[in-house]
Amino acid sequence: MTELSQIPLAGVIGYPVAHSRSPALHGYWLKRYDLKGHYIPMAVEPQNLERVLRTLPDLGFFGANITLPHKEAILSIADVITDRAALIGAANTLIFRKDGKIHADNTDGSGFIANLRQNAPYWDPAAGPAAVLGAGGAARAVVAALIEVGVPEVRLVNRTRPRAESMRQDFGAKVVVYDWTHVGEMIEDCATLVNTTSLGMTGKADLPLNLDRLNQACLVTDIVYTPLKTQLLIEAEDRGNTVVDGLGMLLHQAVPGFERWFGLRPVVDDATRQAVLAA
Ligand code: ATR
């Protein structure tokens, strides 16, 4: 019989954590590939986060995903932080290294791009500016990734303008801040439009955005995935724009962690989507 200590363990740490789809996703992949391993949801209060993280490697954990409210706080606990996690100011994927060090990375941005590449293969980020709605944690990951893949300009608009201004300072001259009153002209010649706010989510108001001036070649995507088709995506699709929903970002951001902990790079396909939606 295999010793428990030889079976790779990983999990997601949040507070609360019951809403997380990560256990369903990793559990599905473990079963699909017939791998030994367990992925466990862990509700950890902020004051216990560091103690729990320092204990997990001894229990056989190879790493963990980090979700709300710990994604920023983890940076002051981790021993090694990737450049992109530092720039974003948050991490979502931890590797517990053999030397005892906790390595923190942020895979939200690469997951965002992988989702677009998979579902809109003709999308060319360099074809024009990208319009990004929102300036929270998710926006920071999205903007970092868009700049990395070569967008010529990121146009940011946020309800609270100082938050967008502070992103401009962190991300540099490619970021231009707009007011909501000018959002029509902001989106006019964009190649990409991304909603990173929570607006459009089930139970929340829809985005107050008029798409009349949006050009038809613009790819429209939302990081919200409940509902899968937000009002933004429905309206954009009605106009003939290519749209990509946010579920794929959630699935793709999980790939690097799974590969590292369980030793196999999992695919993201329709069966994966269905497994997570059914959970
Ligand atoms: P996340 O880490 O998921 O991005 P967040 O940091 O709380 O979460 O950011 C949420 C984003 O949604 C922010 O851009 C927020 O705008 P503010 O910076 O002005 O708070 C935006 N948002 C949330 N509710 C909103 C609303 N009712 N109207 C407009 N924007 C809203």
Side-chain angles (χ1 to χ4, degrees):
M1 212 175 82
T2 320
E3 293 282 334
L4 183 65
S5 61
Q6 292 175 313
I7 297 176
L9 302 178
V12 54
I13 300 175
Y15 195 78
V17 81
H19 65 279
S20 172
R21 308 256 181 150
S22 296
L25 174 59
H26 289 267
Y28 166 74
W29 279 330
L30 284 167
K31 201 164 165 217
R32 175 169 172 167
Y33 296 112
D34 196 20
L35 295 173
K36 287 201 165 42
H38 296 288
Y39 186 94
I40 297 150
M42 290 171 276
V44 177
E45 291 183 62
Q47 67 271 23
N48 297 330
L49 181 63
E50 178 152 19
R51 194 160 44 84
V52 169
L53 285 172
R54 297 290 172 199
T55 309
L56 287 176
D58 291 337
L59 299 176
F61 279 77
F62 288 21
N65 287 122
I66 295 292
T67 188
L68 298 177
H70 305 311
K71 287 176 87 167
E72 287 90 17
I74 188 63
L75 295 189
S76 56
I77 297 173
D79 305 298
V80 184
I81 298 163
T82 61
D83 289 346
R84 60 185 178 178
L87 178 64
I88 294 164
N92 68 340
T93 304
L94 304 181
I95 310 291
F96 301 148
R97 296 191 344 191
K98 291 219 166 62
D99 62 5
K101 295 209 155 90
I102 297 174
H103 176 277
D105 193 10
N106 192 314
T107 63
D108 286 332
S110 57
F112 169 75
I113 298 294
N115 183 35
L116 298 189
R117 297 260 191 239
Q118 181 173 46
N119 293 294
Y122 299 108
W123 172 62
D124 176 9
V132 176
L133 315 173
R140 295 181 72 90
V142 164
V143 168
L146 286 169
I147 291 173
E148 207 179 306
V149 296
V151 297
E153 182 176 286
V154 174
R155 297 177 177 175
L156 257 190
V157 65
N158 193 48
R159 172 179 62 179
T160 314
R161 188 177 164 119
R163 250 183 136 184
E165 297 286 359
S166 106
M167 279 185 65
R168 191 179 58 80
Q169 289 200 338
D170 293 345
F171 289 89
K174 279 200 173 170
V175 175
V176 181
V177 177
Y178 281 72
D179 272 327
W180 266 107
T181 45
H182 294 112
V183 78
E185 67 190 67
M186 167 179 138
I187 64 174
E188 209 161 33
D189 56 341
C190 282
T192 315
L193 170 67
V194 191
N195 174 42
T196 75
T197 76
S198 45
L199 294 177
M201 198 182 277
T202 307
K204 292 227 175 192
D206 286 323
L207 267 173
L209 182 65
N210 184 329
L211 297 183
D212 285 351
R213 290 167 80 168
L214 188 71
N215 80 73
Q216 271 213 335
C218 182
L219 171 78
V220 180
T221 186
D222 206 320
I223 68 156
V224 170
Y225 57 86
T226 48
L228 268 183
K229 278 273 171 72
T230 57
Q231 194 56 34
L232 170 69
L233 298 190
I234 291 169
E235 281 176 29
E237 201 167 37
D238 282 350
R239 297 178 76 262
N241 290 75
T242 299
V243 305
V244 177
D245 70 56
L247 183 61
M249 176 178 172
L250 171 81
L251 307 180
H252 281 283
Q253 63 78 32
V255 168
F258 186 93
E259 181 177 20
R260 188 66 189 249
W261 306 320
F262 301 117
L264 183 148
R265 190 167 182 85
V267 299
V268 172
D269 59 6
D270 203 47
T272 317
R273 278 176 72 89
Q274 295 313 323
V276 169
L277 288 173

mmCIF file of all heavy atoms in Angstrom, residues 220-251:
data_model
loop_
_atom_site.group_PDB
_atom_site.id
_atom_site.type_symbol
_atom_site.label_atom_id
_atom_site.label_comp_id
_atom_site.label_asym_id
_atom_site.label_seq_id
_atom_site.Cartn_x
_atom_site.Cartn_y
_atom_site.Cartn_z
ATOM 1 N N VAL A 220 -14.338 40.695 -27.385
ATOM 2 C CA VAL A 220 -14.924 41.104 -26.100
ATOM 3 C C VAL A 220 -14.897 39.920 -25.139
ATOM 4 O O VAL A 220 -15.341 38.822 -25.480
ATOM 5 C CB VAL A 220 -16.374 41.610 -26.298
ATOM 6 C CG1 VAL A 220 -16.972 42.036 -24.955
ATOM 7 C CG2 VAL A 220 -16.390 42.783 -27.285
ATOM 8 N N THR A 221 -14.375 40.157 -23.949
ATOM 9 C CA THR A 221 -14.295 39.085 -22.964
ATOM 10 C C THR A 221 -14.601 39.611 -21.561
ATOM 11 O O THR A 221 -14.512 40.808 -21.304
ATOM 12 C CB THR A 221 -12.917 38.383 -23.019
ATOM 13 O OG1 THR A 221 -12.921 37.258 -22.135
ATOM 14 C CG2 THR A 221 -11.782 39.313 -22.637
ATOM 15 N N ASP A 222 -14.997 38.686 -20.709
ATOM 16 C CA ASP A 222 -15.427 39.052 -19.366
ATOM 17 C C ASP A 222 -14.735 38.093 -18.413
ATOM 18 O O ASP A 222 -14.623 36.905 -18.729
ATOM 19 C CB ASP A 222 -16.961 38.856 -19.290
ATOM 20 C CG ASP A 222 -17.592 39.742 -18.237
ATOM 21 O OD1 ASP A 222 -16.984 39.889 -17.162
ATOM 22 O OD2 ASP A 222 -18.679 40.278 -18.495
ATOM 23 N N ILE A 223 -14.278 38.566 -17.274
ATOM 24 C CA ILE A 223 -13.712 37.586 -16.341
ATOM 25 C C ILE A 223 -14.799 36.986 -15.454
ATOM 26 O O ILE A 223 -14.575 35.996 -14.784
ATOM 27 C CB ILE A 223 -12.551 38.151 -15.510
ATOM 28 C CG1 ILE A 223 -13.045 39.193 -14.540
ATOM 29 C CG2 ILE A 223 -11.449 38.713 -16.382
ATOM 30 C CD1 ILE A 223 -12.093 39.309 -13.370
ATOM 31 N N VAL A 224 -15.991 37.614 -15.476
ATOM 32 C CA VAL A 224 -17.136 37.040 -14.754
ATOM 33 C C VAL A 224 -17.553 35.761 -15.492
ATOM 34 O O VAL A 224 -17.602 35.738 -16.713
ATOM 35 C CB VAL A 224 -18.304 38.052 -14.749
ATOM 36 C CG1 VAL A 224 -19.586 37.411 -14.233
ATOM 37 C CG2 VAL A 224 -17.941 39.280 -13.904
ATOM 38 N N TYR A 225 -17.852 34.683 -14.728
ATOM 39 C CA TYR A 225 -18.337 33.464 -15.409
ATOM 40 C C TYR A 225 -19.624 32.921 -14.795
ATOM 41 O O TYR A 225 -20.074 31.838 -15.159
ATOM 42 C CB TYR A 225 -17.244 32.389 -15.470
ATOM 43 C CG TYR A 225 -16.691 31.980 -14.130
ATOM 44 C CD1 TYR A 225 -17.312 30.993 -13.379
ATOM 45 C CD2 TYR A 225 -15.566 32.599 -13.617
ATOM 46 C CE1 TYR A 225 -16.813 30.628 -12.142
ATOM 47 C CE2 TYR A 225 -15.062 32.244 -12.385
ATOM 48 C CZ TYR A 225 -15.681 31.261 -11.650
ATOM 49 O OH TYR A 225 -15.197 30.909 -10.421
ATOM 50 N N THR A 226 -20.207 33.683 -13.865
ATOM 51 C CA THR A 226 -21.561 33.346 -13.402
ATOM 52 C C THR A 226 -22.423 34.587 -13.602
ATOM 53 O O THR A 226 -22.307 35.507 -12.818
ATOM 54 C CB THR A 226 -21.574 32.935 -11.921
ATOM 55 O OG1 THR A 226 -20.820 33.898 -11.180
ATOM 56 C CG2 THR A 226 -21.008 31.564 -11.701
ATOM 57 N N PRO A 227 -23.253 34.672 -14.613
ATOM 58 C CA PRO A 227 -23.541 33.648 -15.619
ATOM 59 C C PRO A 227 -22.399 33.525 -16.635
ATOM 60 O O PRO A 227 -21.576 34.437 -16.756
ATOM 61 C CB PRO A 227 -24.796 34.199 -16.309
ATOM 62 C CG PRO A 227 -24.620 35.692 -16.227
ATOM 63 C CD PRO A 227 -23.959 35.942 -14.898
ATOM 64 N N LEU A 228 -22.406 32.435 -17.376
ATOM 65 C CA LEU A 228 -21.375 32.243 -18.397
ATOM 66 C C LEU A 228 -21.432 33.347 -19.445
ATOM 67 O O LEU A 228 -20.412 33.888 -19.845
ATOM 68 C CB LEU A 228 -21.592 30.898 -19.107
ATOM 69 C CG LEU A 228 -20.865 29.691 -18.553
ATOM 70 C CD1 LEU A 228 -21.153 28.493 -19.424
ATOM 71 C CD2 LEU A 228 -19.370 29.945 -18.438
ATOM 72 N N LYS A 229 -22.649 33.655 -19.887
ATOM 73 C CA LYS A 229 -22.817 34.753 -20.851
ATOM 74 C C LYS A 229 -23.364 35.961 -20.100
ATOM 75 O O LYS A 229 -24.556 36.016 -19.779
ATOM 76 C CB LYS A 229 -23.803 34.348 -21.956
ATOM 77 C CG LYS A 229 -23.201 33.512 -23.062
ATOM 78 C CD LYS A 229 -22.571 34.359 -24.178
ATOM 79 C CE LYS A 229 -21.789 33.516 -25.173
ATOM 80 N NZ LYS A 229 -22.647 32.724 -26.039
ATOM 81 N N THR A 230 -22.501 36.903 -19.817
ATOM 82 C CA THR A 230 -22.952 38.133 -19.155
ATOM 83 C C THR A 230 -23.685 38.995 -20.186
ATOM 84 O O THR A 230 -23.574 38.782 -21.394
ATOM 85 C CB THR A 230 -21.748 38.913 -18.613
ATOM 86 O OG1 THR A 230 -20.857 39.169 -19.698
ATOM 87 C CG2 THR A 230 -21.023 38.136 -17.523
ATOM 88 N N GLN A 231 -24.389 40.003 -19.672
ATOM 89 C CA GLN A 231 -25.099 40.917 -20.564
ATOM 90 C C GLN A 231 -24.124 41.552 -21.563
ATOM 91 O O GLN A 231 -24.449 41.727 -22.736
ATOM 92 C CB GLN A 231 -25.815 41.991 -19.723
ATOM 93 C CG GLN A 231 -26.856 42.802 -20.450
ATOM 94 C CD GLN A 231 -27.946 41.934 -21.090
ATOM 95 O OE1 GLN A 231 -28.322 40.890 -20.565
ATOM 96 N NE2 GLN A 231 -28.433 42.354 -22.254
ATOM 97 N N LEU A 232 -22.915 41.868 -21.096
ATOM 98 C CA LEU A 232 -21.896 42.435 -21.993
ATOM 99 C C LEU A 232 -21.631 41.494 -23.169
ATOM 100 O O LEU A 232 -21.594 41.922 -24.328
ATOM 101 C CB LEU A 232 -20.602 42.680 -21.205
ATOM 102 C CG LEU A 232 -19.370 43.041 -22.045
ATOM 103 C CD1 LEU A 232 -19.532 44.427 -22.673
ATOM 104 C CD2 LEU A 232 -18.088 42.984 -21.207
ATOM 105 N N LEU A 233 -21.446 40.224 -22.879
ATOM 106 C CA LEU A 233 -21.137 39.261 -23.939
ATOM 107 C C LEU A 233 -22.343 39.035 -24.857
ATOM 108 O O LEU A 233 -22.190 38.911 -26.081
ATOM 109 C CB LEU A 233 -20.668 37.931 -23.344
ATOM 110 C CG LEU A 233 -19.371 37.973 -22.514
ATOM 111 C CD1 LEU A 233 -18.893 36.560 -22.201
ATOM 112 C CD2 LEU A 233 -18.254 38.745 -23.213
ATOM 113 N N ILE A 234 -23.535 39.030 -24.285
ATOM 114 C CA ILE A 234 -24.747 38.851 -25.103
ATOM 115 C C ILE A 234 -24.879 40.018 -26.086
ATOM 116 O O ILE A 234 -25.089 39.824 -27.285
ATOM 117 C CB ILE A 234 -26.001 38.752 -24.193
ATOM 118 C CG1 ILE A 234 -25.962 37.435 -23.400
ATOM 119 C CG2 ILE A 234 -27.290 38.848 -25.011
ATOM 120 C CD1 ILE A 234 -26.995 37.344 -22.285
ATOM 121 N N GLU A 235 -24.717 41.233 -25.572
ATOM 122 C CA GLU A 235 -24.852 42.415 -26.446
ATOM 123 C C GLU A 235 -23.757 42.448 -27.510
ATOM 124 O O GLU A 235 -24.005 42.770 -28.671
ATOM 125 C CB GLU A 235 -24.800 43.697 -25.612
ATOM 126 C CG GLU A 235 -26.122 43.986 -24.928
ATOM 127 C CD GLU A 235 -26.052 45.213 -24.028
ATOM 128 O OE1 GLU A 235 -25.247 46.126 -24.302
ATOM 129 O OE2 GLU A 235 -26.809 45.243 -23.037
ATOM 130 N N ALA A 236 -22.542 42.118 -27.124
ATOM 131 C CA ALA A 236 -21.431 42.152 -28.085
ATOM 132 C C ALA A 236 -21.637 41.083 -29.161
ATOM 133 O O ALA A 236 -21.398 41.339 -30.348
ATOM 134 C CB ALA A 236 -20.106 41.928 -27.354
ATOM 135 N N GLU A 237 -22.079 39.917 -28.750
ATOM 136 C CA GLU A 237 -22.316 38.837 -29.720
ATOM 137 C C GLU A 237 -23.440 39.223 -30.688
ATOM 138 O O GLU A 237 -23.346 38.971 -31.891
ATOM 139 C CB GLU A 237 -22.672 37.551 -28.975
ATOM 140 C CG GLU A 237 -22.446 36.301 -29.796
ATOM 141 C CD GLU A 237 -22.489 35.041 -28.937
ATOM 142 O OE1 GLU A 237 -23.303 34.975 -27.987
ATOM 143 O OE2 GLU A 237 -21.705 34.121 -29.224
ATOM 144 N N ASP A 238 -24.474 39.869 -30.153
ATOM 145 C CA ASP A 238 -25.581 40.333 -31.011
ATOM 146 C C ASP A 238 -25.085 41.302 -32.080
ATOM 147 O O ASP A 238 -25.641 41.380 -33.173
ATOM 148 C CB ASP A 238 -26.660 41.036 -30.172
ATOM 149 C CG ASP A 238 -27.537 40.030 -29.453
ATOM 150 O OD1 ASP A 238 -27.429 38.824 -29.754
ATOM 151 O OD2 ASP A 238 -28.316 40.448 -28.572
ATOM 152 N N ARG A 239 -24.049 42.063 -31.744
ATOM 153 C CA ARG A 239 -23.510 43.030 -32.708
ATOM 154 C C ARG A 239 -22.550 42.369 -33.711
ATOM 155 O O ARG A 239 -22.047 43.007 -34.602
ATOM 156 C CB ARG A 239 -22.755 44.142 -31.975
ATOM 157 C CG ARG A 239 -23.610 44.970 -31.047
ATOM 158 C CD ARG A 239 -22.777 46.016 -30.334
ATOM 159 N NE ARG A 239 -22.440 47.148 -31.206
ATOM 160 C CZ ARG A 239 -21.304 47.301 -31.846
ATOM 161 N NH1 ARG A 239 -20.358 46.409 -31.733
ATOM 162 N NH2 ARG A 239 -21.103 48.349 -32.605
ATOM 163 N N GLY A 240 -22.229 41.109 -33.470
ATOM 164 C CA GLY A 240 -21.342 40.403 -34.398
ATOM 165 C C GLY A 240 -19.901 40.317 -33.921
ATOM 166 O O GLY A 240 -19.034 39.822 -34.648
ATOM 167 N N ASN A 241 -19.631 40.784 -32.708
ATOM 168 C CA ASN A 241 -18.255 40.686 -32.188
ATOM 169 C C ASN A 241 -17.965 39.269 -31.690
ATOM 170 O O ASN A 241 -18.874 38.566 -31.241
ATOM 171 C CB ASN A 241 -18.061 41.673 -31.022
ATOM 172 C CG ASN A 241 -18.047 43.107 -31.473
ATOM 173 O OD1 ASN A 241 -19.083 43.674 -31.795
ATOM 174 N ND2 ASN A 241 -16.873 43.691 -31.518
ATOM 175 N N THR A 242 -16.695 38.895 -31.766
ATOM 176 C CA THR A 242 -16.280 37.620 -31.154
ATOM 177 C C THR A 242 -16.269 37.805 -29.648
ATOM 178 O O THR A 242 -15.754 38.826 -29.148
ATOM 179 C CB THR A 242 -14.859 37.237 -31.643
ATOM 180 O OG1 THR A 242 -14.906 37.093 -33.061
ATOM 181 C CG2 THR A 242 -14.388 35.939 -31.016
ATOM 182 N N VAL A 243 -16.834 36.840 -28.913
ATOM 183 C CA VAL A 243 -16.836 36.943 -27.448
ATOM 184 C C VAL A 243 -16.246 35.671 -26.837
ATOM 185 O O VAL A 243 -16.370 34.589 -27.405
ATOM 186 C CB VAL A 243 -18.256 37.197 -26.874
ATOM 187 C CG1 VAL A 243 -18.890 38.428 -27.494
ATOM 188 C CG2 VAL A 243 -19.167 35.989 -27.056
ATOM 189 N N VAL A 244 -15.611 35.842 -25.682
ATOM 190 C CA VAL A 244 -15.049 34.694 -24.944
ATOM 191 C C VAL A 244 -15.457 34.846 -23.486
ATOM 192 O O VAL A 244 -15.222 35.897 -22.878
ATOM 193 C CB VAL A 244 -13.502 34.653 -25.062
ATOM 194 C CG1 VAL A 244 -12.933 33.500 -24.237
ATOM 195 C CG2 VAL A 244 -13.067 34.518 -26.523
ATOM 196 N N ASP A 245 -16.063 33.800 -22.921
ATOM 197 C CA ASP A 245 -16.495 33.913 -21.518
ATOM 198 C C ASP A 245 -15.335 33.656 -20.557
ATOM 199 O O ASP A 245 -14.248 33.226 -20.967
ATOM 200 C CB ASP A 245 -17.703 32.996 -21.243
ATOM 201 C CG ASP A 245 -17.332 31.517 -21.255
ATOM 202 O OD1 ASP A 245 -16.430 31.123 -20.499
ATOM 203 O OD2 ASP A 245 -17.952 30.756 -22.029
ATOM 204 N N GLY A 246 -15.572 33.925 -19.282
ATOM 205 C CA GLY A 246 -14.492 33.925 -18.297
ATOM 206 C C GLY A 246 -14.154 32.579 -17.681
ATOM 207 O O GLY A 246 -13.163 32.459 -16.954
ATOM 208 N N LEU A 247 -14.958 31.547 -17.973
ATOM 209 C CA LEU A 247 -14.690 30.265 -17.311
ATOM 210 C C LEU A 247 -13.309 29.712 -17.686
ATOM 211 O O LEU A 247 -12.602 29.156 -16.848
ATOM 212 C CB LEU A 247 -15.790 29.253 -17.651
ATOM 213 C CG LEU A 247 -15.649 27.895 -16.965
ATOM 214 C CD1 LEU A 247 -15.708 28.022 -15.446
ATOM 215 C CD2 LEU A 247 -16.719 26.914 -17.449
ATOM 216 N N GLY A 248 -12.943 29.881 -18.937
ATOM 217 C CA GLY A 248 -11.651 29.353 -19.401
ATOM 218 C C GLY A 248 -10.465 29.956 -18.653
ATOM 219 O O GLY A 248 -9.443 29.292 -18.477
ATOM 220 N N MET A 249 -10.590 31.190 -18.205
ATOM 221 C CA MET A 249 -9.492 31.813 -17.444
ATOM 222 C C MET A 249 -9.287 31.055 -16.129
ATOM 223 O O MET A 249 -8.163 30.761 -15.736
ATOM 224 C CB MET A 249 -9.805 33.286 -17.175
ATOM 225 C CG MET A 249 -8.788 33.997 -16.313
ATOM 226 S SD MET A 249 -9.223 35.738 -16.121
ATOM 227 C CE MET A 249 -8.026 36.266 -14.908
ATOM 228 N N LEU A 250 -10.408 30.734 -15.484
ATOM 229 C CA LEU A 250 -10.342 29.963 -14.233
ATOM 230 C C LEU A 250 -9.672 28.605 -14.475
ATOM 231 O O LEU A 250 -8.839 28.162 -13.684
ATOM 232 C CB LEU A 250 -11.758 29.759 -13.680
ATOM 233 C CG LEU A 250 -11.843 28.789 -12.508
ATOM 234 C CD1 LEU A 250 -11.445 29.485 -11.225
ATOM 235 C CD2 LEU A 250 -13.237 28.199 -12.386
ATOM 236 N N LEU A 251 -10.028 27.970 -15.572
ATOM 237 C CA LEU A 251 -9.479 26.637 -15.855
ATOM 238 C C LEU A 251 -7.989 26.725 -16.200
ATOM 239 O O LEU A 251 -7.175 25.957 -15.685
ATOM 240 C CB LEU A 251 -10.249 25.983 -17.014
ATOM 241 C CG LEU A 251 -11.782 25.923 -16.863
ATOM 242 C CD1 LEU A 251 -12.414 25.258 -18.070
ATOM 243 C CD2 LEU A 251 -12.182 25.197 -15.591
#
